[in-house]
Amino acid sequence: MNTSRAVNIEDLRRAARRRLPRAVFDYIDGGADREHTLAHNCRAYDDIIFRPRCAVAVPNYEMRTTVLGTEIAMPIILAPVGSSRMFYPRGEEVAANVAGSVGTIYTLSTLSGCLLEDVKKATTGPAWYQLYLIGGHDVARATIERARLAGYSALVVTIDTPVAGMRERDLRNGMKELVTRNPWKMLPFVMQFAVKPQWLAGFFSDGGMMKFPNVVLPGEGPMLYADVGTALEASVVTWADLKWIRHAWQGPIVVKGVHIGDDARRAIDAGANAIVVSNHGGRQLDDVHATIRALPEVVAAARGQVEVLLDGGIRRGGDVAKALCLGARAVLIGRAYAYGLGAAGEAGVRRAVEILRADLLRTIKLLGCPSTSALDRSYVEVPAEWEARVK
Ligand code: FNR
């Protein structure tokens, strides 16, 4: 794909759909159950109206900010996206490399197809490691030590995954059967791959990712793709675990998956340094509020004690601006760059970030706001019932 032709993220999404087998595209694109939250995450931004200040001359617009003390070129961070190596050869390394070159943070998922050491080496920028407690505390302790030695600067602990969400598209596409390596079970689902020879050639030349090299289970070696569902169920993260992680990892901790003010307080009590208001991109519990709607309650509960970030539904620079107006320090993007990766590898991720960066810059100019960090509530109008939730 000629990525310069992509005008917006939706264009990259369409290009990803063309290049990827249906099962892989749907794995990125889909959500849980009726996909209500997936849709709300995007649509809720429509309910926020800008209040621009016109006729304002600004000599230098500024998008740089800091998150947990690290300076980044724009308030947009790459979220952890598991199995990125399935979208494009060495996918996690490719995405990390782009993040570094544009001056932002890459977050590596526990469920990565590439070694965490290789991913860190692939980027010149800062990187965070997202931790699932798969395999228990001993396995986590070893991974935390590897992440520390490799140079990851923060640990992102995802707390909304006590079980994998019900992704109906994955079931229909045979994602379960496809990872069994049993030819008879796989057979009914292989046609969707046969019609995407370009993807197939890349997948096999890259070794045909079927395992997660950063989850090393004692006596078993790297965890296989087929075992993820069961492993996640056995790895629920509790507040007590978070306190344990606080002791095991001396650096900053980001708690990802907070929906309500009470959990923000619990995260702070357990030692979090930052919180991500996230519903996993609508892939876990369906029918929860869109994250942008949940944000004001969490910001109020955090009382300025920790940095509050947000992810979910970011497809335009205007969405980023709205999240910052409502108190987010920065946002994380998931699908926006995953579509780019699936569509065209490095060029696609770069284009996704560039689209959002240029959009955000244009938005602050049109708002008459000198910098992204100066965005606040005075630049937006939100529906009255959103305000009512914040006590
Ligand atoms: C994710 N997300 C995710 N989160 C996490 O903590 N660990 C993970 O391994 C994954 N894996 C993953 C795979 C795919 C394909 C997607 C799309 C998402 C969730 C991700 O970090 C983030 O919360 C959402 O993607 C944000 O929503 P948007 O930007 O995709 O709308």
Side-chain angles (χ1 to χ4, degrees):
M1 174 214 187
N2 180 353
T3 51
S4 61
R5 290 221 196 103
V7 170
N8 58 27
I9 300 297
E10 181 58 27
D11 290 340
L12 291 172
R13 176 177 178 269
R14 273 193 292 268
R17 178 183 258 158
R18 282 195 295 275
R19 183 180 163 273
L20 298 173
R22 192 175 60 214
V24 179
F25 175 76
D26 277 348
Y27 167 70
I28 301 172
D29 194 57
D33 301 279
R34 285 181 291 193
E35 302 192 340
H36 279 173
T37 296
L38 171 66
H40 289 327
N41 270 352
C42 294
R43 264 193 236 127
Y45 294 100
D46 297 349
D47 294 335
I48 302 173
I49 305 299
F50 283 126
R51 293 170 55 82
R53 288 163 210 178
C54 296
V56 177
V58 176
N60 288 307
Y61 290 92
E62 185 57 80
M63 298 219 285
R64 260 176 306 183
T65 188
T66 62
V67 174
L68 293 171
T70 300
E71 188 176 298
I72 49 177
M74 66 194 103
I76 301 172
I77 292 169
L78 271 58
V81 168
S83 309
S84 292
R85 194 167 180 173
M86 197 165 61
F87 318 157
Y88 201 85
R90 308 201 76 81
E92 290 87 0
E93 290 173 36
V94 169
N97 170 261
V98 175
S101 70
V102 299
T104 193
I105 299 165
Y106 176 74
T107 314
L108 180 68
S109 163
T110 288
L111 300 178
S112 152
C114 294
L115 274 173
L116 67 89
E117 289 83 0
D118 292 346
V119 175
K120 184 66 187 72
K121 276 188 209 134
T123 176
T124 52
W128 292 350
Y129 188 77
Q130 179 265 321
L131 185 74
Y132 282 132
L133 280 185
I134 296 173
H137 286 190
D138 288 343
V139 172
R141 189 181 289 109
T143 315
I144 288 171
E145 183 55 13
R146 274 175 64 191
R148 190 185 65 77
L149 286 173
Y152 286 82
S153 55
L155 213 54
V156 177
V157 183
T158 301
I159 60 165
D160 60 6
T161 316
V163 55
M166 172 56 169
R167 323 254 170 89
E168 294 186 4
R169 296 199 217 180
D170 291 357
L171 283 186
R172 285 188 214 293
N173 293 332
M175 278 302 246
K176 251 189 182 159
E177 289 77 4
L178 284 164
V179 295
T180 57
R181 295 195 166 203
N182 174 337
W184 295 112
K185 283 191 174 173
M186 291 163 84
L187 199 62
F189 303 102
V190 291
M191 257 322 271
Q192 54 189 326
F193 296 88
V195 296
K196 303 289 177 179
Q198 204 198 1
W199 176 87
L200 212 53
F203 184 69
F204 284 114
S205 71
D206 190 37
M209 186 208 125
M210 288 303 235
K211 48 187 167 195
F212 298 106
N214 301 313
V215 187
V216 185
L217 303 169
E220 293 177 40
M223 185 176 69
L224 297 177
Y225 204 105
D227 299 329
V228 172
T230 338
L232 275 177
E233 266 189 65
S235 70
V236 53
V237 182
T238 64
W239 298 116
D241 291 316
L242 207 70
K243 285 189 178 151
W244 175 83
I245 295 168
R246 180 65 287 167
H247 286 289
W249 167 262
Q250 275 72 47
I253 291 180
V254 182
V255 173
K256 174 173 179 283
V258 171
H259 301 238
I260 57 172
D262 286 351
D263 274 356
R265 292 309 314 163
R266 287 187 191 103
I268 293 166
D269 291 345
N273 304 93
I275 287 170
V276 187
V277 178
S278 172
N279 52 41
H280 220 106
R283 301 165 74 82
Q284 288 296 108
L285 181 63
D286 202 15
D287 293 313
V288 294
H289 269 310
T291 47
I292 189 68
R293 207 177 153 179
L295 179 66
E297 179 182 323
V298 175
V299 168
R303 294 181 214 139
Q305 289 172 290
V306 295
E307 294 179 356
V308 178
L309 313 173
L310 166 141
D311 73 25
I314 301 278
R315 304 290 182 269
R316 291 186 176 267
D319 301 340
V320 182
K322 289 174 181 179
L324 301 187
C325 286
L326 296 195
R329 183 146 190 112
V331 301
L332 285 74
I333 53 168
R335 291 183 186 82
Y337 85 84
Y339 293 140
L341 184 63
E346 181 191 331
V349 179
R350 201 173 287 285
R351 186 74 193 124
V353 176
E354 179 49 32
I355 287 171
L356 294 176
R357 201 196 67 82
D359 251 15
L360 178 59
L361 181 60
R362 189 182 319 105
T363 304
I364 60 168
K365 288 182 179 178
L366 289 168
L367 281 172
C369 182
S371 70
T372 47
S373 36
L375 289 169
D376 62 22
R377 291 294 279 257
S378 66
Y379 288 94
V380 285
E381 206 173 288
V382 301
E385 71 264 26
W386 293 27
E387 306 280 5
R389 293 182 72 228
V390 183
K391 285 152 235 139

